[in-house]
Amino acid sequence: MTTAAIIGGGVIGGGWAARFLLNGWDVRVFDPDPEAERKIGEVLANARRSLPGLSDVPLPPEGKLSFHTDLAEAVKGVAWIQESVPERLDLKLKVYRSIQEACDPQAILGSSTSGFKPSELQEGALRPGQIVVTHPFNPVYLLPLIELVTTPENSPEMIERAKEIMRGLGQFPLHVRKEIDAHIADRFLEAVWREALWLVKDGIATTEEIDEAIRMGFGIRWAQMGLFETYRVAGGEAGMKHFMAQFGPCLSWPWTKLMDVPEFTDELVDLIAGQSDAQSGHHTIRELERIRDNNLVGMMRALKAQNWGAGAVLNRHDAALKPKALPDLDSADLSQPILTLSRAVPLDWTDYNGHMTESKYLEAFANATDRFMEIIGCDADYIASGGSYFTAETHIRHLDEAHAGARIRVETQMLLGQGKKLHLFHRMYEGDKLLATGESFLLHVSLETRKPCAPSPKIEAAMARIAEAQAGLPYPEGAGSAIRKPA
Ligand SMILES: NC(=O)c1ccc[n+]([C@@H]2O[C@H](COP(=O)([O-])OP(=O)(O)OC[C@H]3O[C@@H](n4cnc5c(N)ncnc54)[C@H](O)[C@@H]3O)[C@@H](O)[C@H]2O)c1
C-alpha cells in the first residue's frame, strides 16, 4: 500500500486527500486546525458519491485515513507529500524545512500553490530537487488537470515518477515549459476575472448576468475544445489564419481593460458580494458543491462517451485499472455465477428519489450481458466477423436501493446456452445485499441476414463448459417469474 501525506487539509488539501484515498492510497493528514477532520470528512463524503462512479470499472479499495498532530510522524516514509497550506511564501518555506528534516529524500514534495514559482519554493531548501509545483483545480477529486511546474533542480527521473503517480490517480499532469507566476490557467482566469470586475463596477452586467454569459455559451464550448480549437472551428473552412485576420485587430480596439485592476473599495466588494448573495444566497455552499459535482460528473461522462478531452483521460484511467477488474473464461470459477460487472453507481444514474433510477438497472444488466458475451467469445472481433446476440426478452426485479457511489457488482448464472439460445440470470449486489435480479433471453443472429443462427463452434464450446460447471447450481428464485395479474 502506498502512502501520501497531506500537509494543510483545507479546501484543496481535503480534495487531494479524497483523490488519493479513493484511488487506494493510505493518507496521513497534518493540519493544526481542530476543525480539519470534520472539514475533510465533508469533502470526502462529496468525493465518495461523485468520483468512483466516473469510472466504468472499480477503483482500488479505499485507503486508510489518519490524522496526525506531529508533522514529522505524518511525512515519515511516505512516497508523496502534498503541501496545501495558505498561500504565503514564508509559511510554505518554513513548512518545507520541517518536512524535509523528517521525510524520505526520494519522496516527491508537491505544492498546490496557485501563484508561486517552483524556484521560489526551492530557495534555501534542504533538498531543492525534491520540490515541484503540482497545482490542482477545485474540486481536486473530480477535475483531472494538474499543472506540474519544475526547475532544472528536479531530475528527469523524479519528474517522470511524479507524472506516473498523477496519472495513476486519474489526473492529467500538464508539464509547464517555463516557470511563471500563477502558471498557465490562473493567469488566464485572472484576466477573465479582472474584466468581469470592470463589467460589474461599470454597471454593464450583474454577477448573475456574467455567469449566464459564460454558462449559456462559451463556457460549454471551452469545456470540450478549449480556446484555440474552438477558434479554429469559428474561422470556418479558412481556419485559424482567417480567424486571426478577422478578429485580431479587435484586440487593439478599446474593448478591453485587461491591464487595469479596479480598485477594491468597500463599495465594489459590497456591490459584488451583494449581487452574489442575490444570485446564489438561497443555496448553502455544500449544496452548491453538490450541484457543481453533479454537473461536472454529467459533463465528464458525456465527454467520456466521445473519448474527448477530460473524458479521454477518464477512459485511459479505466483502461489502466481494467485488467484487475473482471475474470475471463479461464480465470473465473465457472462452477459459480461469474462476475460480469463491478463498478460504482455514477451520480448521473440517480434520480429524484435519491437512488439508482429504473432504466439504469437495465443498463447495468446489459453491460453484464455484454461482458458475458465477451467471456464466451462473442467479442468485438467476432461481432465484426458477422455474428452477435440480440436480446429478445428481459425481466428485472427491484429488491433494494442503491445510492450514488455505492460499489455494485453483477454475478451471472447461465440458465441455458445451447445452439442459438442464451438465457442468463444476473444478480446485482452491494456487498451482501441483493439489490436486483435481471433475466435476459438472447438469440444468436447473423448480422448479415438479421436472422437467428448457430454461433461459432468456439462459442458453443465455451457455453458447454459453463453449462457443465454450473449444472449443480440451484435454479434461481425469481427466474421465469412474471408480473402477477391483479386479483
Ligand atoms: N482554493 C482554491 O481554489 C485553490 C486552487 C488551487 C490551489 N490552491 C492553493 O492551495 C493552497 C491552499 O489553499 P486552500 O484554498 O485549501 O486554503 P484553506 O485556507 O482552505 O486551507 C489551508 C489549510 O492549511 C492549514 N494550515 C495553516 N498553517 C499550516 C501549517 N503550518 N501546517 C499545516 N497546515 C496548515 C489551515 O488550517 C487550513 O486548513 C494555497 O497554496 C492555494 O494557492 C487553492
Side-chain angles (χ1 to χ4, degrees):
M1 183 65 76
T2 343
T3 307
I6 301 297
I7 309 304
V11 175
I12 293 303
W16 273 106
R19 175 69 85 168
F20 275 108
L21 277 170
L22 294 177
N23 279 284
W25 286 56
D26 284 346
V27 169
R28 301 185 200 150
V29 177
F30 172 79
D31 189 317
D33 179 1
E35 291 287 295
E37 189 162 348
R38 176 187 62 78
K39 287 190 198 158
I40 288 192
E42 288 179 15
V43 177
L44 199 49
N46 280 349
R48 283 194 185 115
R49 68 190 272 282
S50 56
L51 174 68
L54 273 181
S55 286
D56 293 306
V57 295
L59 295 180
E62 199 176 307
K64 233 175 44 242
L65 175 63
S66 56
F67 290 85
H68 300 258
T69 49
D70 178 17
L71 182 132
E73 177 191 281
V75 301
K76 190 160 179 267
V78 305
W80 188 289
I81 300 151
Q82 186 65 31
E83 170 275 304
S84 309
V85 304
E87 188 74 348
R88 276 180 25 223
L89 189 56
D90 61 327
L91 174 65
K92 289 189 188 280
L93 296 183
K94 197 170 120 232
V95 168
Y96 296 158
R97 268 193 296 281
S98 314
I99 292 174
Q100 291 197 308
E101 279 164 13
C103 76
D104 179 347
Q106 290 305 310
I108 291 165
L109 203 176
S111 170
S112 298
T113 179
S114 304
F116 298 121
K117 300 194 284 277
S119 59
E120 292 172 287
L121 303 179
Q122 291 170 350
E123 206 159 311
L126 214 54
R127 289 179 299 274
Q130 189 170 21
I131 301 169
V132 287
V133 167
T134 42
H135 176 232
F137 292 79
N138 201 19
V140 182
Y141 50 84
L142 288 182
L143 296 186
L145 180 62
I146 300 294
E147 289 178 314
L148 171 66
V149 200
T150 59
T151 74
E153 293 285 341
N154 304 117
S155 74
E157 177 279 320
M158 180 266 210
I159 293 171
E160 264 323 296
R161 193 153 42 91
K163 288 180 185 174
E164 267 317 296
I165 290 176
M166 285 185 273
R167 290 192 193 106
L169 297 170
Q171 296 175 321
F172 180 83
L174 179 67
H175 194 174
V176 179
R177 288 162 186 269
K178 277 188 190 169
E179 62 168 10
I180 180 173
D181 298 303
H183 330 308
I184 300 172
D186 278 357
R187 293 185 72 97
F188 198 56
L189 290 177
E190 286 210 353
V192 174
W193 193 40
R194 270 196 295 272
E195 201 65 26
L197 292 176
W198 279 115
L199 289 170
V200 177
K201 183 178 160 60
D202 293 348
I204 312 293
T206 62
T207 56
E208 182 165 3
E209 286 158 359
I210 288 173
D211 286 347
E212 299 294 21
I214 296 171
R215 64 190 170 198
M216 295 297 165
F218 70 84
I220 306 178
R221 269 192 336 215
W222 276 359
Q224 49 86 47
M225 276 196 175
L227 181 70
F228 286 106
E229 205 161 46
T230 296
Y231 282 175
R232 183 182 178 85
V233 178
E237 285 183 8
M240 185 55 97
K241 280 200 172 153
H242 173 67
F243 183 86
M244 305 264 297
Q246 192 174 6
F247 295 107
C250 308
L251 291 177
S252 52
W253 295 355
W255 279 14
T256 168
K257 292 191 175 180
L258 279 179
M259 303 314 289
D260 297 329
V261 184
E263 198 185 333
F264 264 50
T265 57
D266 288 348
E267 200 188 346
L268 179 62
V269 173
D270 287 348
L271 178 67
I272 292 194
Q275 288 187 2
S276 174
D277 287 348
Q279 179 186 348
S280 318
H282 53 292
H283 290 298
T284 64
I285 295 298
R286 293 287 172 233
E287 275 167 5
L288 285 172
E289 282 174 350
R290 277 192 287 275
I291 293 167
R292 175 201 64 192
D293 289 0
N294 292 355
N295 294 335
L296 287 175
V297 167
M299 289 193 292
M300 288 168 72
R301 283 177 50 79
L303 289 169
K304 198 172 184 194
Q306 304 300 321
N307 197 29
W308 190 264
V313 174
L314 291 175
N315 283 333
R316 283 200 293 275
H317 191 42
D318 280 7
L321 293 167
K322 200 164 189 168
K324 287 167 259 166
L326 295 173
D328 56 24
L329 190 65
D330 292 321
S331 62
D333 173 2
L334 298 183
S335 69
Q336 295 302 314
I338 302 168
L339 182 67
T340 47
L341 178 124
S342 175
R343 62 163 307 134
V345 175
L347 261 176
D348 59 333
W349 280 19
T350 57
D351 65 11
Y352 44 81
N353 291 324
H355 60 194
M356 186 159 138
T357 201
E358 197 178 338
S359 60
K360 296 302 175 185
Y361 286 84
L362 180 58
E363 184 167 338
F365 287 133
N367 292 341
T369 297
D370 283 346
R371 177 62 196 162
F372 190 88
M373 284 163 52
E374 275 175 8
I375 289 173
I376 60 175
C378 184
D379 54 14
D381 287 346
Y382 181 82
I383 292 167
S385 78
S388 188
Y389 281 92
F390 285 1
T391 306
E393 197 170 335
T394 55
H395 178 226
I396 295 174
R397 295 185 309 151
H398 301 267
L399 305 172
D400 214 326
E401 297 184 62
H403 299 275
R407 276 174 191 255
I408 54 170
R409 68 179 192 284
V410 173
E411 295 174 359
T412 302
Q413 181 173 350
M414 192 180 75
L415 302 184
L416 177 70
Q418 210 174 38
K420 60 194 175 195
K421 292 179 184 169
L422 181 60
H423 186 180
L424 301 176
F425 190 79
H426 302 297
R427 292 179 182 86
M428 181 189 294
Y429 296 95
E430 180 187 358
D432 294 335
K433 190 168 69 175
L434 183 62
L435 301 172
T437 65
E439 192 175 347
S440 308
F441 184 74
L442 301 104
L443 286 170
H444 185 274
V445 292
S446 150
L447 290 174
E448 199 187 329
T449 64
R450 319 299 279 185
K451 297 263 188 302
C453 66
S456 71
K458 191 177 147 217
I459 291 180
E460 290 255 30
M463 291 194 300
R465 242 176 99 182
I466 297 171
E468 191 188 345
Q470 292 194 344
L473 290 177
Y475 202 74
E477 191 240 311
S481 68
I483 297 173
R484 271 189 295 274
K485 286 200 184 111

